[in-house]
Amino acid sequence: MTEARSHDVTIVGAGLAGCEAAFQLAERGHHVRLLEMKPARRTPAQTSDFFAELVCSNSLRGAALANAVGLLKEELRRVGSLLMRVADRTSVPAGGALAVDRERFGAEMTTTMREHPRITVETGEVTEIPRDERPVILATGPLTADALASSIAEAVGTKHLAYYDAIAPILSADSINWSKVWKQSRWGKGTAERAQEPGRKMMAEDAEESGDEAYVNCPFDEETYRAFVAALVAAEKVAPREFEDVRYFEGCLPCEVMAERGERTLAYGPMKPVGLVDPRTGRRPHAVIQLRAEDVAATAYNMVGFQTRMKYPEQLRVFRMVPGLEEAEFLRFGSVHRNTFVDAPRVLGPGMEMLRMPGVFLAGQVAGVEGYVESAAAGFVCAVLLAQRLAGKPLAPPPKTTALGGIVTHLGREQPSYQPSNITWAHLPPLEGTKSRLTKRARYEAMAERALADLDPWKNSAL
């Protein structure tokens, strides 16, 4: 005789996403079995036995609503997030940011999990996707243990699981000096061959017809290029953490590593100017950095091929040497670090469910988000959508105009090479009409106002 199940949902991992998901499901009346390998075992990055451990920093980043993550935190407050409840209670002075007392935060999150009447915590390492547990949420974080990661890879396909995260910076379109750059794709249609003829000087009208304008080009002359490469080499870098075995992929090397290999390496790599003609000079530049739009409305751009381990202040200093980016506002800085995540747009279906394994859901950084708050938000969304399903209701994700909806948008937005991301304004649809012409800060504040106005009806009907 089969023993009756004492739980409705199994969750693997008691990090930020797992704890948030467990709490939201339990608060909606579901019994949750939470599997966590602490205290029996820790990942190399962990130093305590607390759940929801903040391993890198105690900061949850900016608090202002003109900041995308500030909006995300406010939305989470309004929908009853455990992360925000505990963070606000354990906060410490941090200027314009929300930071917490790491020990108090971890202790309270752990106590909440262990003492909740509808959450049962079990200790032990999970080495494969549970076979007889459905539904199950995998919230195992960026350092998912090798055995379980292999099980996930088998389920989604090896090419759809990454073990290293190489992120290029994203900057606001408003902050680009458009008088110094131009739009053109490499090898533009109709004029590609002529552009490569030795000594050929093309006219501006030729260049305007030479591509689909999918890229913004920041041109360098030889002197500017040499100074930029020297700055990359000299910049202060983030040292690898002890648990990171730094083995860079040749296809996505940090830009400073390429610079260290020789002064001309970048000019033959991501800064190669072939197939491009500056319409102001009619000639090919010495080198170029290309920017690619992050969203349909082109409110933000990605620095193509410029993943980096430079420290954030150094990124600001060095990347503002790029022609056209002298006053760039960075929505996300670049990074390179150990991370385990899936190609979410190709692996996950509605409700964050694995397409190849129905009943298995992914939440947090393994699903393809970046950051403490974003991980908890992904856990929240996953739990709410699963609760809707368990109640026999149609899926009702957060509105796309909200930051919570932006998390869903990012997980579903196909990219040539999918990368996790912090929440940015590019994940929300732009304002329309006269509001689209507001100053940058006023526009962000208006987007936040719109988000919070749209959140309330959803909260009342879907939660």
Side-chain angles (χ1 to χ4, degrees):
M1 182 174 179
T2 304
E3 185 177 348
R5 274 178 37 144
S6 60
H7 56 278
D8 304 314
V9 181
T10 296
I11 297 178
V12 181
L16 289 163
C19 286
E20 187 70 53
F23 180 79
Q24 296 302 329
L25 285 162
E27 289 292 286
R28 287 161 174 75
H30 299 288
H31 291 269
V32 177
R33 179 183 180 222
L34 180 60
L35 308 180
E36 168 57 45
M37 64 183 186
K38 286 183 178 182
R41 185 186 167 194
R42 301 174 184 166
T43 71
Q46 294 168 331
T47 59
S48 84
D49 290 333
F50 289 138
F51 295 171
E53 182 179 354
L54 305 180
V55 297
C56 296
S57 165
N58 69 330
S59 174
L60 303 185
R61 310 197 328 271
L65 288 182
N67 185 316
V69 76
L71 172 62
L72 182 59
K73 288 197 287 287
E74 180 58 24
E75 290 180 9
L76 286 169
R77 283 191 186 93
R78 296 189 180 200
V79 295
S81 162
L82 175 65
L83 167 75
M84 295 312 302
R85 179 189 303 183
V86 177
D88 287 337
R89 280 204 292 251
T90 60
S91 64
V92 296
L98 172 62
V100 302
D101 180 312
R102 211 185 300 239
E103 294 292 309
R104 288 176 55 213
F105 175 85
E108 185 166 340
M109 292 289 283
T110 305
T111 298
T112 301
M113 291 297 102
R114 292 194 178 279
E115 295 186 355
H116 197 292
R118 285 188 289 274
I119 298 176
T120 301
V121 176
E122 296 183 15
T123 301
E125 182 179 358
V126 176
T127 58
E128 64 178 0
I129 299 173
R131 297 180 182 276
D132 302 319
E133 299 286 334
R134 299 291 184 273
V136 57
I137 297 175
L138 305 180
T140 48
L143 293 180
T144 299
D146 290 345
L148 182 56
S150 296
S151 180
I152 295 173
E154 182 179 352
V156 303
T158 306
K159 67 178 181 179
H160 294 309
L161 184 73
Y163 292 90
Y164 225 82
D165 195 359
I167 295 175
I170 294 175
L171 54 97
S172 167
D174 288 342
S175 65
I176 299 171
N177 184 342
W178 291 95
S179 69
K180 294 187 176 183
V181 302
W182 82 98
K183 290 184 178 181
Q184 181 194 355
S185 293
R186 187 173 278 116
W187 303 114
K189 298 177 182 177
T191 57
E193 293 80 9
R194 284 182 291 154
Q196 297 311 299
E197 293 176 11
R200 168 72 177 176
K201 182 174 181 178
M202 293 178 59
M203 296 297 101
E205 56 268 25
D206 294 326
E208 289 173 358
E209 298 174 357
S210 63
D212 61 8
E213 298 191 345
Y215 293 86
V216 172
N217 299 283
C218 304
F220 290 75
D221 59 26
E222 184 172 358
E223 181 181 355
T224 306
Y225 172 79
R226 289 177 181 273
F228 179 69
V229 171
L232 285 175
V233 173
E236 190 174 3
K237 283 83 173 179
V238 176
R241 291 171 285 185
E242 291 183 1
F243 59 85
E244 291 186 308
D245 179 15
V246 182
R247 292 175 295 173
Y248 299 125
F249 300 121
E250 287 297 314
C252 60
L253 291 170
C255 57
E256 63 273 11
V257 171
M258 286 186 275
E260 290 165 358
R261 290 184 173 183
E263 191 178 64
R264 298 295 301 161
T265 303
L266 283 166
Y268 286 93
M271 294 182 71
K272 62 181 179 288
V274 295
L276 297 169
V277 176
D278 188 335
R280 293 159 305 179
T281 66
R283 293 187 178 278
R284 187 172 75 184
H286 183 80
V288 69
I289 285 181
Q290 291 196 305
L291 311 177
R292 182 176 57 228
E294 276 289 304
D295 60 326
V296 174
T299 63
Y301 283 86
N302 182 298
M303 292 182 66
V304 179
F306 272 78
Q307 52 276 354
T308 177
R309 289 199 86 137
M310 287 189 291
K311 293 186 174 181
Y312 289 175
E314 292 288 80
Q315 291 188 44
L316 195 64
R317 178 182 66 83
V318 174
F319 289 145
R320 281 182 171 175
M321 296 174 65
V322 177
L325 306 187
E326 293 86 356
E327 297 182 4
E329 176 199 0
F330 288 89
L331 303 176
R332 180 188 77 187
F333 286 108
S335 67
V336 181
H337 57 275
R338 166 77 188 276
N339 196 1
T340 304
F341 61 94
V342 299
D343 184 350
R346 295 174 178 84
V347 165
L348 302 181
M352 301 169 68
E353 183 178 23
M354 288 172 57
L355 294 172
R356 292 190 180 182
M357 194 169 282
V360 179
F361 302 79
L362 298 185
Q365 287 188 248
V366 71
V369 298
E370 182 82 11
Y372 292 153
V373 183
E374 291 85 348
S375 294
F380 175 90
V381 171
C382 183
V384 166
L385 296 180
L386 178 54
Q388 293 170 358
R389 184 186 303 234
L390 292 172
K393 298 178 180 179
L395 292 185
K400 292 183 178 180
T401 52
T402 64
L404 283 167
I407 296 290
V408 178
T409 294
H410 177 69
L411 294 178
R413 181 182 285 168
E414 289 196 18
Q415 305 170 25
S417 177
Y418 181 78
Q419 293 293 342
S421 176
N422 297 118
I423 187 70
T424 76
W425 291 113
H427 296 147
L428 281 64
L431 296 170
E432 298 179 351
T434 57
K435 286 189 174 181
S436 65
R437 297 191 291 273
L438 295 171
T439 64
K440 180 172 59 182
R441 183 177 181 84
R443 189 165 65 253
Y444 291 164
E445 290 174 344
M447 291 174 71
E449 182 180 356
R450 178 188 65 179
L452 296 178
D454 291 348
L455 182 71
D456 284 339
W458 177 78
K459 179 179 70 173
N460 295 334
S461 64
L463 300 189

